[in-house]
Amino acid sequence: MLDNFLTGTATLFGDPFTIGIFIFGVIGGMLFGAIPGVSMLTLAAILLPFTADLSPSQGVMLFAVIYCTGTYGGAITAILFNIPGAPENAPTAFDGYPMTQKGMAGKAVGAAVLCSAVGGIASAIVMMSATEPLAQWAIMNIGPPEIFALVFFGLAVASSVGGRTIWKGWLSVLFGLLIATIGQDPVGGINRFNFGFSDLAAGIAFVPAILGFFAVSEIFVQAEKKVSGNYSAPKFSVDFPTFFELWSHKIAVVRSILVGFFCGILPGIGATLAAFMGYGEAVRWSKNKSEFGKGKLEGVISSETANNAATGAAMIPLLALGLPGGALTAMMVAVFQMHDLEPGPLVFYNSPDLIWVVFAGMFYANLSILFIGLLETKTILYLLKIPFQFLAPMILMLASIGAYISRGLVLDVIVMFAAGVIGFLLRRSGYSIPGIVLGLILGKIGEQNFAQGMQMVHYDLGTYFSRPICTILVIAGALTLLKSLHSAFFAKQVNS
Amino acid sequence: MGNLKNSDLVEVAFWLLIAAIFFSVSFNFNQPIEIYKFGATGWPRVILILIGLAALGNLYHSLKNGSKIQKGRVGASEAPDQVNYTSVVDYLKTAWILLIPLLYAISLKPVGFYFGTPFFISLVMLAWGERRVKFILLNTLLIYSLLIILFMFILNAPLPQGNVSPFYDFSAFMLKMKTQFDQLL
């Protein structure tokens, strides 16, 4: 492993052009992750056509680096503006944004820097040592029935987070799943719910929907407060957490690394579930559960460690099975295809150089979060001083361009603003925006794998449940659901 | 009616209406798929039925507990993002905030990015409560210039040009300027 890593490092830093691409990926990922309204997905979408001119290893390495640093960068907007840069940063906002409102933005961002780096580096090391054996295990044991079971489990977890009631949590997830059914069905290619718009045949794209539900709806909420005189600018501080503050959360960090890595390795789910579960586990093990959601540092630490720990692991299903774990890893599939390559087990044998350049790139990208992240953070905190009247139209414009650029459709801009309006109204009523987005992302993967899985087991539930991983995950999901339903009907309620 | 409020009834009506509309539309693509028993409608219909059930569950919760937050909800805000409206003007202001971006998005196809954007930026600032004309004009110019430099000159991003004259002609003029600039370099 060490030899391969050193070879990858030498290839990465042996060519000035490759170094340039690496630095561009590190800074670009952080900046686009951290600028409200745009995200690493926007940058990746803009860059996708240009990767045709790069070598396959440079192209995939660039996207992998953007994935690592963008995942960290998205935490900054989640903390400062309540706008997660990506769905995996959504739980960071649960406690990060309340910390900003309390004037502890610096502490939250500082914790995000350190924990993202720690989680990412740990994940990169495990990824390098365990990828091949894990890939071989996954090839033998994970198929469409298991992926559907994973999606079911992921949605059951997502429904228990965010909404004011279990019903609102489920309605949010189901609404996301419904949006995901718009477009062609994954088996027969039949157009569904396109309401006469031919552009809708391709379905609702992730990027405009995510931008609309998170960024635009947040702008609308702030604008509403501003015109009604209830707006208060976020408080500003550069008070980073002390070493002892972080050391006191060492168990949360280790737990989140483990949760993040094992969630990240699950194909089709990746960092988003990792962040939710990392946060959920922190709440479950905490003695002061009621403090979560009100600005608790441990919430930011758990979520950010877990989502960066998932970035390395998320590369495993992509490289071993060709299954993307999210929107950005899906774009990596496109990079492979542009170079007439298919991600999958053969890449390990046909292009080992590519694999190790990517691994080395991800390791050093996580390392650079520690150094560049701290420097950049102080600059980004000054974003809070920009007047909202200036920032809001800028965010709306960047979001509009980001939504348009990914597919070149004006419809995507309309979808984004419509999602913003819907998100604004649903937020007012206590629904979960992360739940909607997770439903949207997992809906297509879930339906496709359900159909394939059912065909594989010849529609026989006995055969389906004879697969142990399916049984465990479906039971775990069903128990999560039953526990929520039990509390909905029988548990005491607290006042709002 | 217990703890039920009008807004709770509106919510449940909204979800049931969505479920009913989508369910009826699903008959338009209710074709069998030879290799798949459940066809194109199976999955979406299950989702729609679950939406209906969850909406009724939500109604039950509101009937029993009003707007109280359910115990143990992770990440749920105890006070959702709400502002209390005192007059019709407040509603109109919010409607205006929501409508401007939608109108801009709809106008992108005929009008294009290059012509429509400065007006959109100014209107957003106006709707957000900004009344200083100089501030609006200067910031519009600054934001528009930044966007043009970043996306048109540096990233070469293809942006909507519009398809109606004179808006299309304006976009063509901007692109011609960009080509001339590229030739200078």
Side-chain angles (χ1 to χ4, degrees):
Chain A
M1 183 193 106
L2 194 62
D3 288 347
N4 287 330
F5 176 67
L6 291 175
T7 310
T9 304
T11 314
L12 179 65
F13 295 117
D15 170 32
F17 186 61
T18 314
I19 297 173
I21 291 170
F22 173 79
I23 294 171
F24 177 81
V26 168
I27 295 174
M30 278 187 205
L31 276 180
F32 270 70
I35 297 172
V38 294
S39 68
M40 59 177 172
L41 295 174
T42 316
L43 176 65
I46 294 167
L47 290 175
L48 194 56
F50 302 106
T51 54
D53 297 329
L54 305 177
S55 72
S57 56
Q58 287 170 336
V60 181
M61 181 271 290
L62 172 64
F63 272 57
V65 169
I66 290 172
Y67 187 30
C68 295
T69 54
T71 302
Y72 150 70
I76 298 176
T77 46
I79 291 165
L80 298 187
F81 302 99
N82 203 19
I83 302 171
E88 50 260 45
N89 301 112
T92 308
F94 293 163
D95 280 286
Y97 190 58
M99 285 181 76
T100 298
Q101 288 173 317
K102 287 180 185 173
M104 297 159 70
K107 212 159 242 187
V109 174
V113 169
L114 295 172
C115 294
S116 295
V118 169
I121 291 167
S123 173
I125 292 169
V126 181
M127 168 185 76
M128 285 188 273
S129 56
T131 298
E132 282 204 60
L134 281 170
Q136 282 167 3
W137 177 85
I139 290 165
M140 304 288 285
N141 295 286
I142 301 277
E146 283 77 15
I147 294 174
F148 170 72
L150 287 170
V151 169
F152 171 70
F153 177 61
L155 292 177
V157 173
S159 71
S160 64
V161 176
R164 281 169 64 81
T165 66
I166 176 65
W167 308 109
K168 289 192 173 177
W170 266 108
L171 279 168
S172 308
V173 170
L174 288 165
F175 185 55
L177 288 173
L178 181 65
I179 297 172
T181 63
I182 295 171
Q184 291 182 337
D185 94 274
V187 185
I190 297 167
N191 277 329
R192 301 186 298 198
F193 303 127
N194 65 358
F195 299 98
F197 292 99
S198 55
D199 285 344
L200 276 181
I204 301 286
F206 296 147
V207 174
I210 289 172
L211 286 171
F213 282 120
F214 282 118
V216 178
S217 74
E218 177 63 29
I219 292 295
F220 287 159
V221 168
Q222 301 301 335
E224 186 195 32
K225 286 180 183 165
K226 182 130 184 76
V227 294
S228 62
N230 292 319
Y231 176 78
S232 56
K235 290 165 191 162
F236 176 80
S237 80
V238 282
D239 174 27
F240 286 122
T242 62
F243 173 77
F244 293 106
E245 267 178 296
L246 290 174
W247 184 249
S248 64
H249 292 102
K250 57 188 178 297
I251 295 172
V253 171
V254 174
R255 185 178 52 229
S256 292
I257 287 173
L258 293 173
V259 168
F261 193 82
F262 284 104
C263 288
I265 208 167
L266 304 179
I269 295 176
T272 306
L273 181 65
F276 275 101
M277 285 200 66
Y279 186 85
E281 287 304 302
V283 176
R284 198 155 74 90
W285 290 94
S286 173
K287 286 174 187 163
N288 304 308
K289 292 184 176 61
S290 59
E291 290 175 12
F292 281 88
K294 294 171 189 165
K296 194 168 167 66
L297 188 64
E298 193 179 341
V300 175
I301 287 175
S302 303
S303 164
E304 275 310 301
T305 308
N307 65 21
N308 268 70
T311 54
M315 295 300 285
I316 295 171
L318 176 76
L319 296 172
L321 302 169
L323 275 173
L328 198 108
T329 40
M331 288 186 200
M332 283 189 215
V333 175
V335 178
F336 274 101
Q337 287 168 346
M338 282 166 89
H339 293 92
D340 295 325
L341 290 168
E342 277 298 329
L346 286 177
V347 176
F348 283 87
Y349 301 101
N350 293 339
S351 312
D353 294 353
L354 181 150
I355 297 287
W356 284 98
V357 169
V358 172
F359 285 176
M362 289 182 79
F363 177 83
Y364 292 111
N366 281 305
L367 201 61
S368 22
I369 291 173
L370 259 186
F371 302 103
I372 302 175
L374 279 171
L375 288 176
E376 196 204 56
T377 299
K378 291 200 176 184
T379 316
I380 289 168
L381 280 172
Y382 285 93
L383 280 174
L384 291 173
K385 289 191 169 177
I386 301 173
F388 185 71
Q389 296 95 310
F390 179 82
L391 204 56
M394 189 76 188
I395 293 170
L396 287 180
M397 284 319 304
L398 288 173
S400 303
I401 294 170
Y404 177 81
I405 271 175
S406 49
R407 296 199 298 182
L409 293 175
V410 168
L411 180 77
D412 283 343
V413 186
I414 298 172
V415 164
M416 183 191 74
F417 284 125
V421 174
I422 295 168
F424 167 78
L425 296 172
L426 291 180
R427 279 174 64 155
R428 284 180 60 89
S429 307
Y431 289 86
S432 162
I433 298 300
I436 297 173
V437 171
L438 203 68
L440 173 63
I441 291 171
L442 293 183
K444 274 208 165 65
I445 297 168
E447 185 181 9
Q448 189 170 10
N449 284 286
F450 175 74
Q452 287 175 354
M454 283 295 116
Q455 288 165 316
M456 274 175 71
V457 299
H458 303 290
Y459 305 95
D460 178 26
L461 286 180
T463 314
Y464 184 84
F465 285 109
S466 67
R467 303 171 80 105
I469 297 172
C470 291
T471 312
I472 292 167
L473 288 167
V474 170
I475 289 174
L479 284 176
T480 308
L481 194 57
L482 285 173
K483 190 172 170 270
S484 309
L485 282 172
H486 177 268
S487 63
F489 283 108
F490 302 111
K492 283 183 182 174
Q493 314 291 322
V494 294
N495 290 328
S496 63
Chain B
M1 294 281 278
N3 297 307
L4 216 53
K5 288 191 281 188
N6 282 344
S7 58
D8 300 322
L9 290 172
V10 171
E11 263 182 59
V12 75
F14 168 78
W15 289 115
L16 292 177
L17 192 68
I18 290 261
I21 290 171
F22 275 73
F23 205 95
S24 62
V25 172
S26 73
F27 286 98
N28 295 345
F29 54 84
N30 190 18
Q31 305 160 31
I33 300 172
E34 210 172 300
I35 54 165
Y36 183 46
K37 195 172 150 183
F38 301 118
T41 51
W43 178 271
R45 281 180 176 175
V46 169
I47 293 168
L48 292 168
I49 291 167
L50 290 173
I51 286 178
L53 289 174
L56 293 175
N58 197 38
L59 185 69
Y60 166 78
H61 177 89
S62 305
L63 197 64
K64 206 176 154 192
N65 307 299
S67 59
K68 287 171 187 168
I69 187 170
Q70 193 182 318
K71 196 180 177 186
R73 299 296 297 163
V74 175
S77 166
E78 288 201 6
D81 302 309
Q82 278 192 354
V83 171
N84 291 324
Y85 293 117
T86 50
S87 67
V88 180
V89 177
D90 289 340
Y91 283 101
L92 288 175
K93 277 180 182 173
T94 304
W96 182 227
I97 287 167
L98 301 179
L99 265 178
I100 292 172
L102 274 173
L103 291 175
Y104 169 70
I106 293 166
S107 72
L108 268 179
K109 209 162 196 172
V111 176
F113 171 86
Y114 301 101
F115 190 86
T117 298
F119 294 98
F120 172 65
I121 297 169
S122 304
L123 280 174
V124 166
M125 281 192 265
L126 262 175
W128 261 240
E130 183 56 58
R131 292 292 176 268
R132 291 169 291 173
V133 178
K134 242 184 203 171
F135 181 92
I136 292 174
L137 289 176
L138 280 175
N139 279 325
T140 301
L141 187 68
L142 181 62
I143 294 171
Y144 186 64
S145 309
L146 282 174
L147 292 171
I148 291 292
I149 291 167
L150 178 65
F151 289 99
M152 189 175 164
F153 285 91
I154 298 175
L155 295 171
N156 243 334
L159 298 167
Q161 294 173 35
N163 54 17
V164 173
S165 187
F167 311 121
Y168 176 81
D169 303 324
F170 182 77
S171 301
F173 165 75
M174 291 290 285
L175 292 171
K176 197 176 154 191
M177 262 183 26
K178 199 251 169 201
T179 313
Q180 284 174 347
F181 178 80
D182 285 347
Q183 281 167 352
L184 274 176
L185 296 176

